[in-house]
Amino acid sequence: MSGKVLTVTSGKGGVGKTTTVANVGAALAATGSRVVCIDVDLGLRNLDVVMGLENRIVYDLVHVIEGQCRLRQAMIKDKRMPELYLIPAAQTRDKTAVSPSDMVRLAEELKPDFDWIVLDSPAGIERGFRNALAPADQVLVITNPEVSAVRDADRIIGLVEAERKGPAQLVINRVRPDMIERGDMLSVDDILDILAVDLIGKIPEDESIIIGSNRGSPVALDPDSSAGQAFRNIARRLNGEEVDFVQPQVKTSFFSRLGRLMGRGA
Amino acid sequence: MSSFLNRVTRSRSSQASGSVAKDRLKLVLIHDRTDIPPAIMEELRDELMGVIARYVDFVREDVEVHITRESRSSRLVAEVPLRNQPRTRSRR
């Protein structure tokens, strides 16, 4: 088996990279894939808490790179899933402790044993991002329906293309169908039109994401969560399945239905 | 994008914020993607006009040089309205 390296990045911070890594990782593992998620955000470790594995860290990414432990020792197994592992970031070191070629070497070492190696990139366009991009076979760019986040996504998409790692695929997180309906949010089509990339997921704003991260339990494992469903759909698309995009559910008023009848609306 | 109700209730002047966002993004990305500061654009415009003036007569004040965006590529477009040219060349 030769695994694929999936790098999840965004440019802007706080748009949902770590949430996406935890949930897509869990959703892929739930379908029977062997998955390892790696937190590449050195010094700002977070994937461990989102996945709920923070109490089991002994070794981290930098220990592996510097040869202070064996690779297997730094891999924390998620006991809820058949084959899901985390390699946490170092918390006391900065991004210069790892180089892009270190990451390529690490990914090559993991590929024979895994279907998916999912990298959680730091925000920004500097060394940490380069570390996460270097071994990528496929890149997901996360954005929110906001001017600043889309602008940064555009920049990142350009950099991914310049490094010949494209075409990147887009995940739009925190979509509010009600706000799009009333014209107060960039629609998915607006964003795709501006960025000219393919969409691989749109995640509705969903409080279950916050509840899930409070508990350290990814919503992708919650069958009732609409965001969880959206993450599971991303996993299926990554596995090559054609999955229709779920139409956002908005409570329709008489007028919006009338509007749609007249050929307007979403 | 806006719903029927919005279209009825909103006047044209108070454009829905979603489309304001889209317009602002388009503009800001033109600059981000080309990385050409406005001052350099001015210089480019002046030099272009100098070259064009050697061949044709045109309305200096109406010359427009700007960058348009299609998909992920950008295009430099110069609009130069010609003066008294009976054999008009098609203008973009």
Side-chain angles (χ1 to χ4, degrees), chain A:
Chain A
M1 135 166 59
S2 181
K4 256 187 158 181
V5 178
L6 178 71
T7 294
V8 177
T9 187
S10 69
K12 188 176 181 299
V15 295
K17 283 181 299 296
T18 301
T19 305
T20 301
V21 169
N23 281 286
V24 169
L28 284 168
T31 65
S33 296
R34 293 171 56 86
V35 182
V36 56
C37 297
I38 307 179
D39 190 345
V40 189
D41 199 351
L42 300 185
L44 290 169
R45 165 157 97 196
N46 264 329
L47 185 56
D48 54 336
V49 286
V50 176
M51 291 176 76
L53 302 174
E54 69 275 18
N55 291 329
R56 296 179 39 213
I57 297 177
V58 180
Y59 297 109
D60 60 45
L61 180 60
V62 173
H63 292 126
V64 175
I65 298 292
E66 293 183 344
Q68 296 171 39
C69 69
R70 282 177 293 111
L71 182 51
R72 279 276 157 189
Q73 290 177 294
M75 288 173 33
I76 302 164
K77 186 174 189 312
D78 189 328
K79 291 172 184 161
R80 292 162 295 199
M81 310 293 292
E83 292 291 342
L84 177 62
Y85 296 84
L86 165 71
I87 299 179
Q91 186 66 321
T92 53
R93 302 290 296 273
D94 77 1
K95 53 195 176 284
T96 55
V98 174
S99 73
S101 59
D102 289 333
M103 290 305 298
V104 172
R105 224 174 302 125
L106 176 67
E108 289 306 319
E109 203 176 326
L110 288 165
K111 276 181 180 180
D113 295 329
F114 288 94
D115 299 299
W116 290 99
I117 299 149
V118 188
L119 302 188
D120 187 10
S121 160
I125 54 173
E126 288 153 29
R127 176 73 168 267
F129 163 69
R130 303 276 170 194
N131 285 341
L133 188 61
D137 296 310
Q138 200 169 345
V139 179
L140 300 192
V141 172
I142 318 297
T143 192
N144 294 160
E146 287 168 41
V147 176
S148 55
V150 175
R151 180 193 200 177
D152 287 1
D154 185 76
R155 182 99 167 89
I156 288 291
I157 290 166
L159 291 171
V160 169
E161 279 174 7
E163 293 292 323
R164 300 187 181 283
K165 296 287 186 182
Q169 292 166 295
L170 192 71
V171 176
I172 306 176
N173 189 24
R174 301 217 177 103
V175 175
R176 293 263 312 258
D178 55 326
M179 289 189 74
I180 293 176
E181 179 82 3
R182 63 170 196 261
D184 276 329
M185 180 172 272
L186 287 164
S187 73
V188 171
D189 288 339
D190 287 341
I191 296 170
L192 294 179
D193 180 30
I194 287 169
L195 295 180
V197 285
D198 285 338
L199 183 69
I200 192 166
K202 59 174 176 186
I203 318 295
E205 172 100 335
D206 183 351
E207 58 181 51
S208 70
I209 291 184
I210 295 174
I211 296 168
S213 76
N214 288 344
R215 299 186 194 283
S217 167
V219 295
L221 306 177
D222 174 357
D224 299 325
S225 157
S226 60
Q229 180 64 51
F231 284 120
R232 289 194 293 276
N233 287 346
I234 293 177
R236 290 168 64 191
R237 293 185 189 107
L238 286 169
N239 279 325
E241 243 182 278
E242 291 262 339
V243 186
D244 285 343
F245 284 93
V246 185
Q247 279 313 305
Q249 282 161 12
V250 184
K251 289 189 193 89
T252 52
S253 67
F254 168 73
F255 286 107
S256 63
R257 283 198 301 274
L258 184 64
R260 255 196 294 276
L261 275 177
M262 297 175 69
R264 305 290 299 182

Side-chain angles (χ1 to χ4, degrees), chain A residues 147 150-151 154 157-158 161 180-187 190 193-196 255-256 258-259 262 264-265, chain B residues 1-7 10 15-26 28-29 32-33 69 71-72:
Chain A
V147 176
V150 175
R151 180 193 200 177
D154 185 76
I157 290 166
E161 279 174 7
I180 293 176
E181 179 82 3
R182 63 170 196 261
D184 276 329
M185 180 172 272
L186 287 164
S187 73
D190 287 341
D193 180 30
I194 287 169
L195 295 180
F255 286 107
S256 63
L258 184 64
M262 297 175 69
R264 305 290 299 182
Chain B
M1 297 311 130
S2 58
S3 74
F4 177 76
L5 187 60
N6 282 334
R7 290 203 300 138
R10 265 182 226 267
Q15 202 186 355
S17 71
S19 61
V20 173
K22 188 177 185 185
D23 293 344
R24 291 179 61 221
L25 254 173
K26 280 182 167 171
V28 79
L29 289 185
D32 285 2
R33 284 173 181 174
R69 201 182 56 80
S71 182
R72 293 208 61 77

Side-chain angles (χ1 to χ4, degrees), chain B residues 15-64:
Chain B
Q15 202 186 355
S17 71
S19 61
V20 173
K22 188 177 185 185
D23 293 344
R24 291 179 61 221
L25 254 173
K26 280 182 167 171
L27 266 179
V28 79
L29 289 185
I30 286 170
H31 289 285
D32 285 2
R33 284 173 181 174
T34 51
D35 210 18
I36 302 177
I40 301 292
M41 279 299 282
E42 272 304 296
E43 211 173 300
L44 172 66
R45 180 175 179 273
D46 290 345
E47 275 197 51
L48 266 178
M49 286 204 299
V51 174
I52 295 166
R54 282 192 248 143
Y55 299 91
V56 287
D57 191 15
F58 61 94
V59 191
R60 227 157 229 279
E61 310 75 62
D62 293 348
V63 169
E64 264 193 54

